[in-house]
Amino acid sequence: MGKVSHPVDDAASEVAGTLLPGAGPIAGWISSGLREEWQRLTSRALKAAESISGRSREDLEELLEQDPALMPLYMRVLWAAGMNGHDETLRAMGAVLGEAARASASGESDSVHDADQALMAMSTLTPRHFRVLRYVCTHPMRGARGKSGWIAKHVADALGLTEDRAAWCLSDLLGTGLIGSRNGAFGDPFYWATELGEAVVQASASLDDT
C-alpha cells in the first residue's frame, strides 16, 4: 500500500521545492543544518498558532487540511520561515495563523481574509518592528484606540531611533493590522496596538518562557 499524502506535508514539500528548485521531498531538500533551522522556525510559528487558536498541533493540522482557505496562509508562514528567518516575525505570523484558524472554526470568513492580508504584509517585518510593537503594547497611552495614542517622535525618543525610522516601522505595522492609527488634531498620526497586535506580543512572550 502506498504512503498516504497529507495536504500539510504536501504544502511543506511544495514550499521547500520553490525555495530550492529541483529539491526532492522535504526530508532531503537542503543540508541538515539549514533544514533543522527551517523546521525550528516553522515549529515556533506553529506553537504560536496553537496558543492563539487554543488547539493542539494535531487539531490545528486537521483544520488546515479541512479548510482550503487556510492552506495558503500556512504556506505563507512556511515561505517566511525560509526567506525571513526572524524568530519574532515567525511567532507573529503563527499567531495570525492561529487567529485565522479560530475564525475559520467560528465561521468568520472575513477574518480569515484579513489574516491573509496581514500575513502578506508581515513577511518582511524585522526585529526593529517588533521592538516598536512591544513598546506600544506595553506602554499604552491613556485613552488610546481612537482618541489618542503614540506619535512617531515619542516612540523614537523612547527606543533611541530616528523619528523617520520610528515612523517607518509604525507605518509598516499599521499595514499588517497589528497597530491602529488616526490623525491627531495637529496632523501627527496617533498609533496604538490593536487586539491582534496585543495577541501577537502575548504569544511571543509566552514562547519566550518555553
Side-chain angles (χ1 to χ4, degrees), residues 70-108:
L70 292 177
M71 190 56 67
L73 277 63
Y74 175 60
M75 293 185 72
R76 291 194 193 284
V77 173
L78 292 173
W79 177 265
M83 298 299 291
N84 182 294
H86 295 304
D87 264 34
E88 202 154 13
T89 301
L90 269 297
R91 295 178 193 176
M93 293 182 74
V96 173
L97 178 63
E99 175 61 23
R102 185 206 61 75
S104 172
S106 302
E108 302 170 26

Side-chain angles (χ1 to χ4, degrees), residues 9-206:
D9 295 333
D10 290 344
S13 294
E14 183 175 340
V15 170
T18 303
L19 290 170
L20 278 181
I26 189 172
W29 70 285
I30 50 176
S31 67
S32 60
L34 291 177
R35 184 175 67 249
E36 288 173 4
E37 177 65 5
W38 187 72
Q39 291 173 334
R40 182 188 71 81
L41 289 168
T42 301
S43 179
R44 297 288 274 179
L46 290 178
K47 283 182 180 178
E50 292 170 40
S51 174
I52 295 297
S53 68
R55 292 173 175 265
S56 68
R57 179 71 58 87
E58 292 75 17
D59 287 345
L60 182 61
E61 290 187 347
E62 183 178 354
L63 183 59
L64 290 172
E65 293 176 2
Q66 291 175 347
D67 188 343
L70 292 177
M71 190 56 67
L73 277 63
Y74 175 60
M75 293 185 72
R76 291 194 193 284
V77 173
L78 292 173
W79 177 265
M83 298 299 291
N84 182 294
H86 295 304
D87 264 34
E88 202 154 13
T89 301
L90 269 297
R91 295 178 193 176
M93 293 182 74
V96 173
L97 178 63
E99 175 61 23
R102 185 206 61 75
S104 172
S106 302
E108 302 170 26
S109 58
D110 284 344
S111 295
V112 176
H113 295 314
D114 291 343
D116 190 29
Q117 291 181 320
L119 288 174
M120 280 193 290
M122 291 171 70
S123 62
T124 60
L125 296 185
T126 67
R128 180 190 290 164
H129 289 94
F130 289 101
R131 282 183 61 207
V132 171
L133 179 61
R134 279 197 306 273
Y135 187 82
V136 172
C137 282
T138 56
H139 298 79
M141 293 287 283
R142 186 175 182 179
R145 296 187 184 278
K147 295 183 179 179
S148 67
W150 287 102
I151 63 173
K153 183 181 186 307
H154 293 161
V155 173
D157 291 344
L159 297 179
L161 300 172
T162 66
E163 186 173 346
D164 284 346
R165 289 191 176 107
W168 178 22
C169 288
L170 288 163
S171 178
D172 288 347
L173 290 165
L174 179 63
T176 67
L178 301 179
I179 276 181
S181 175
R182 68 178 293 272
N183 288 330
F186 299 102
D188 288 327
F190 288 134
Y191 297 94
W192 61 89
T194 63
E195 290 184 3
L196 180 59
E198 291 173 349
V200 161
V201 168
Q202 183 178 4
S204 182
S206 68

